[in-house]
PDB file of all heavy atoms in Angstrom:
ATOM      1  N   PRO A 679      94.228  61.099  80.986  1.00 69.00           N
ATOM      2  CA  PRO A 679      95.040  60.056  80.427  1.00 69.00           C
ATOM      3  C   PRO A 679      94.187  58.793  80.131  1.00 69.00           C
ATOM      4  O   PRO A 679      93.263  58.506  80.734  1.00 69.00           O
ATOM      5  CB  PRO A 679      96.120  59.751  81.560  1.00 69.00           C
ATOM      6  CG  PRO A 679      96.081  60.917  82.422  1.00 69.00           C
ATOM      7  CD  PRO A 679      94.690  61.551  82.327  1.00 69.00           C
ATOM      8  N   ALA A 680      94.654  58.049  79.163  1.00 73.00           N
ATOM      9  CA  ALA A 680      93.976  56.841  78.705  1.00 73.00           C
ATOM     10  C   ALA A 680      93.925  55.764  79.886  1.00 73.00           C
ATOM     11  O   ALA A 680      93.003  55.010  79.989  1.00 73.00           O
ATOM     12  CB  ALA A 680      94.700  56.233  77.552  1.00 73.00           C
ATOM     13  N   THR A 681      94.904  55.807  80.783  1.00 72.00           N
ATOM     14  CA  THR A 681      94.872  54.854  81.894  1.00 72.00           C
ATOM     15  C   THR A 681      93.719  55.148  82.888  1.00 72.00           C
ATOM     16  O   THR A 681      93.072  54.216  83.339  1.00 72.00           O
ATOM     17  CB  THR A 681      96.138  54.904  82.691  1.00 72.00           C
ATOM     18  OG1 THR A 681      96.438  56.311  83.158  1.00 72.00           O
ATOM     19  CG2 THR A 681      97.332  54.343  81.854  1.00 72.00           C
ATOM     20  N   PHE A 682      93.356  56.338  83.088  1.00 69.00           N
ATOM     21  CA  PHE A 682      92.235  56.757  83.902  1.00 69.00           C
ATOM     22  C   PHE A 682      90.952  56.328  83.274  1.00 69.00           C
ATOM     23  O   PHE A 682      90.038  55.799  83.822  1.00 69.00           O
ATOM     24  CB  PHE A 682      92.213  58.260  84.151  1.00 69.00           C
ATOM     25  CG  PHE A 682      93.257  58.783  85.050  1.00 69.00           C
ATOM     26  CD1 PHE A 682      94.155  57.949  85.695  1.00 69.00           C
ATOM     27  CD2 PHE A 682      93.260  60.135  85.338  1.00 69.00           C
ATOM     28  CE1 PHE A 682      95.148  58.430  86.538  1.00 69.00           C
ATOM     29  CE2 PHE A 682      94.240  60.679  86.171  1.00 69.00           C
ATOM     30  CZ  PHE A 682      95.212  59.773  86.788  1.00 69.00           C
ATOM     31  N   LEU A 683      90.898  56.507  81.950  1.00 71.00           N
ATOM     32  CA  LEU A 683      89.690  56.203  81.160  1.00 71.00           C
ATOM     33  C   LEU A 683      89.450  54.676  81.151  1.00 71.00           C
ATOM     34  O   LEU A 683      88.301  54.214  81.323  1.00 71.00           O
ATOM     35  CB  LEU A 683      89.700  56.659  79.723  1.00 71.00           C
ATOM     36  CG  LEU A 683      89.699  58.203  79.608  1.00 71.00           C
ATOM     37  CD1 LEU A 683      89.927  58.623  78.183  1.00 71.00           C
ATOM     38  CD2 LEU A 683      88.336  58.779  80.134  1.00 71.00           C
ATOM     39  N   SER A 684      90.455  53.983  80.962  1.00 73.00           N
ATOM     40  CA  SER A 684      90.298  52.424  80.926  1.00 73.00           C
ATOM     41  C   SER A 684      90.030  51.892  82.257  1.00 73.00           C
ATOM     42  O   SER A 684      89.233  50.991  82.341  1.00 73.00           O
ATOM     43  CB  SER A 684      91.614  51.832  80.400  1.00 73.00           C
ATOM     44  OG  SER A 684      92.736  52.064  81.277  1.00 73.00           O
ATOM     45  N   ASP A 685      90.507  52.483  83.330  1.00 70.00           N
ATOM     46  CA  ASP A 685      90.232  52.024  84.722  1.00 70.00           C
ATOM     47  C   ASP A 685      88.797  52.365  85.060  1.00 70.00           C
ATOM     48  O   ASP A 685      88.117  51.561  85.767  1.00 70.00           O
ATOM     49  CB  ASP A 685      91.178  52.681  85.789  1.00 70.00           C
ATOM     50  CG  ASP A 685      92.549  52.170  85.729  1.00 70.00           C
ATOM     51  OD1 ASP A 685      92.764  51.069  85.177  1.00 70.00           O
ATOM     52  OD2 ASP A 685      93.488  52.868  86.236  1.00 70.00           O
ATOM     53  N   ALA A 686      88.246  53.484  84.523  1.00 70.00           N
ATOM     54  CA  ALA A 686      86.842  53.875  84.764  1.00 70.00           C
ATOM     55  C   ALA A 686      85.898  53.155  83.824  1.00 70.00           C
ATOM     56  O   ALA A 686      84.668  53.289  84.077  1.00 70.00           O
ATOM     57  CB  ALA A 686      86.709  55.386  84.739  1.00 70.00           C
ATOM     58  N   GLY A 687      86.394  52.616  82.668  1.00 73.00           N
ATOM     59  CA  GLY A 687      85.542  51.965  81.781  1.00 73.00           C
ATOM     60  C   GLY A 687      84.809  53.023  80.832  1.00 73.00           C
ATOM     61  O   GLY A 687      83.725  52.758  80.352  1.00 73.00           O
ATOM     62  N   LEU A 688      85.459  54.137  80.626  1.00 73.00           N
ATOM     63  CA  LEU A 688      84.823  55.168  79.783  1.00 73.00           C
ATOM     64  C   LEU A 688      85.516  55.198  78.356  1.00 73.00           C
ATOM     65  O   LEU A 688      86.769  54.914  78.292  1.00 73.00           O
ATOM     66  CB  LEU A 688      84.939  56.538  80.485  1.00 73.00           C
ATOM     67  CG  LEU A 688      84.186  56.663  81.752  1.00 73.00           C
ATOM     68  CD1 LEU A 688      84.505  57.978  82.406  1.00 73.00           C
ATOM     69  CD2 LEU A 688      82.688  56.536  81.615  1.00 73.00           C
ATOM     70  N   SER A 689      84.779  55.635  77.433  1.00 77.00           N
ATOM     71  CA  SER A 689      85.346  55.733  76.057  1.00 77.00           C
ATOM     72  C   SER A 689      86.089  57.143  75.936  1.00 77.00           C
ATOM     73  O   SER A 689      85.784  58.130  76.620  1.00 77.00           O
ATOM     74  CB  SER A 689      84.226  55.650  75.000  1.00 77.00           C
ATOM     75  OG  SER A 689      83.408  56.844  75.072  1.00 77.00           O
ATOM     76  N   THR A 690      86.969  57.183  74.966  1.00 79.00           N
ATOM     77  CA  THR A 690      87.762  58.369  74.704  1.00 79.00           C
ATOM     78  C   THR A 690      86.861  59.479  74.034  1.00 79.00           C
ATOM     79  O   THR A 690      87.101  60.617  74.225  1.00 79.00           O
ATOM     80  CB  THR A 690      88.890  58.093  73.788  1.00 79.00           C
ATOM     81  OG1 THR A 690      88.514  57.506  72.586  1.00 79.00           O
ATOM     82  CG2 THR A 690      89.998  57.199  74.548  1.00 79.00           C
ATOM     83  N   GLU A 691      85.846  59.087  73.294  1.00 82.00           N
ATOM     84  CA  GLU A 691      84.972  60.004  72.687  1.00 82.00           C
ATOM     85  C   GLU A 691      84.175  60.804  73.716  1.00 82.00           C
ATOM     86  O   GLU A 691      84.026  61.973  73.664  1.00 82.00           O
ATOM     87  CB  GLU A 691      83.946  59.360  71.699  1.00 82.00           C
ATOM     88  CG  GLU A 691      84.582  58.766  70.500  1.00 82.00           C
ATOM     89  CD  GLU A 691      85.190  57.333  70.707  1.00 82.00           C
ATOM     90  OE1 GLU A 691      84.778  56.643  71.705  1.00 82.00           O
ATOM     91  OE2 GLU A 691      86.062  56.934  69.883  1.00 82.00           O
ATOM     92  N   LEU A 692      83.666  60.050  74.751  1.00 78.00           N
ATOM     93  CA  LEU A 692      82.927  60.747  75.784  1.00 78.00           C
ATOM     94  C   LEU A 692      83.860  61.662  76.604  1.00 78.00           C
ATOM     95  O   LEU A 692      83.428  62.800  76.891  1.00 78.00           O
ATOM     96  CB  LEU A 692      82.359  59.715  76.826  1.00 78.00           C
ATOM     97  CG  LEU A 692      81.640  60.289  78.017  1.00 78.00           C
ATOM     98  CD1 LEU A 692      80.383  60.986  77.497  1.00 78.00           C
ATOM     99  CD2 LEU A 692      81.255  59.089  78.931  1.00 78.00           C
ATOM    100  N   ALA A 693      85.112  61.297  76.776  1.00 78.00           N
ATOM    101  CA  ALA A 693      86.107  62.074  77.468  1.00 78.00           C
ATOM    102  C   ALA A 693      86.390  63.405  76.631  1.00 78.00           C
ATOM    103  O   ALA A 693      86.530  64.486  77.192  1.00 78.00           O
ATOM    104  CB  ALA A 693      87.364  61.333  77.745  1.00 78.00           C
ATOM    105  N   ASN A 694      86.455  63.264  75.342  1.00 80.00           N
ATOM    106  CA  ASN A 694      86.786  64.373  74.549  1.00 80.00           C
ATOM    107  C   ASN A 694      85.601  65.397  74.525  1.00 80.00           C
ATOM    108  O   ASN A 694      85.884  66.623  74.512  1.00 80.00           O
ATOM    109  CB  ASN A 694      87.008  63.975  73.034  1.00 80.00           C
ATOM    110  CG  ASN A 694      88.349  63.207  72.896  1.00 80.00           C
ATOM    111  OD1 ASN A 694      89.254  63.438  73.736  1.00 80.00           O
ATOM    112  ND2 ASN A 694      88.431  62.416  71.857  1.00 80.00           N
ATOM    113  N   VAL A 695      84.340  64.921  74.539  1.00 82.00           N
ATOM    114  CA  VAL A 695      83.238  65.796  74.579  1.00 82.00           C
ATOM    115  C   VAL A 695      83.252  66.545  75.942  1.00 82.00           C
ATOM    116  O   VAL A 695      82.975  67.698  75.982  1.00 82.00           O
ATOM    117  CB  VAL A 695      81.856  65.000  74.343  1.00 82.00           C
ATOM    118  CG1 VAL A 695      80.614  65.812  74.671  1.00 82.00           C
ATOM    119  CG2 VAL A 695      81.811  64.520  72.977  1.00 82.00           C
ATOM    120  N   ALA A 696      83.477  65.811  77.049  1.00 79.00           N
ATOM    121  CA  ALA A 696      83.499  66.448  78.304  1.00 79.00           C
ATOM    122  C   ALA A 696      84.591  67.421  78.486  1.00 79.00           C
ATOM    123  O   ALA A 696      84.452  68.470  79.059  1.00 79.00           O
ATOM    124  CB  ALA A 696      83.596  65.279  79.437  1.00 79.00           C
ATOM    125  N   GLU A 697      85.792  67.144  77.819  1.00 81.00           N
ATOM    126  CA  GLU A 697      86.923  68.063  77.934  1.00 81.00           C
ATOM    127  C   GLU A 697      86.622  69.333  77.113  1.00 81.00           C
ATOM    128  O   GLU A 697      86.952  70.393  77.564  1.00 81.00           O
ATOM    129  CB  GLU A 697      88.146  67.400  77.289  1.00 81.00           C
ATOM    130  CG  GLU A 697      88.775  66.316  78.141  1.00 81.00           C
ATOM    131  CD  GLU A 697      89.848  65.536  77.504  1.00 81.00           C
ATOM    132  OE1 GLU A 697      90.229  65.914  76.332  1.00 81.00           O
ATOM    133  OE2 GLU A 697      90.332  64.479  78.024  1.00 81.00           O
ATOM    134  N   THR A 698      85.988  69.227  75.986  1.00 83.00           N
ATOM    135  CA  THR A 698      85.621  70.361  75.164  1.00 83.00           C
ATOM    136  C   THR A 698      84.562  71.237  75.920  1.00 83.00           C
ATOM    137  O   THR A 698      84.733  72.499  75.924  1.00 83.00           O
ATOM    138  CB  THR A 698      85.104  69.989  73.893  1.00 83.00           C
ATOM    139  OG1 THR A 698      86.015  69.097  73.195  1.00 83.00           O
ATOM    140  CG2 THR A 698      84.746  71.157  72.884  1.00 83.00           C
ATOM    141  N   ALA A 699      83.616  70.611  76.418  1.00 83.00           N
ATOM    142  CA  ALA A 699      82.598  71.364  77.298  1.00 83.00           C
ATOM    143  C   ALA A 699      83.199  72.040  78.423  1.00 83.00           C
ATOM    144  O   ALA A 699      82.868  73.292  78.718  1.00 83.00           O
ATOM    145  CB  ALA A 699      81.385  70.389  77.734  1.00 83.00           C
ATOM    146  N   LEU A 700      84.086  71.412  79.105  1.00 82.00           N
ATOM    147  CA  LEU A 700      84.726  72.087  80.290  1.00 82.00           C
ATOM    148  C   LEU A 700      85.650  73.237  79.882  1.00 82.00           C
ATOM    149  O   LEU A 700      85.674  74.273  80.544  1.00 82.00           O
ATOM    150  CB  LEU A 700      85.453  71.007  81.072  1.00 82.00           C
ATOM    151  CG  LEU A 700      84.667  70.081  81.919  1.00 82.00           C
ATOM    152  CD1 LEU A 700      85.542  69.089  82.619  1.00 82.00           C
ATOM    153  CD2 LEU A 700      83.874  70.890  83.044  1.00 82.00           C
TER     154      LEU A 700
END
Side-chain angles (χ1 to χ4, degrees):
T681 56
F682 288 0
L683 294 174
S684 64
D685 289 344
L688 298 174
S689 68
T690 56
E691 293 83 20
L692 179 65
N694 290 336
V695 170
E697 289 171 8
T698 304
L700 285 174

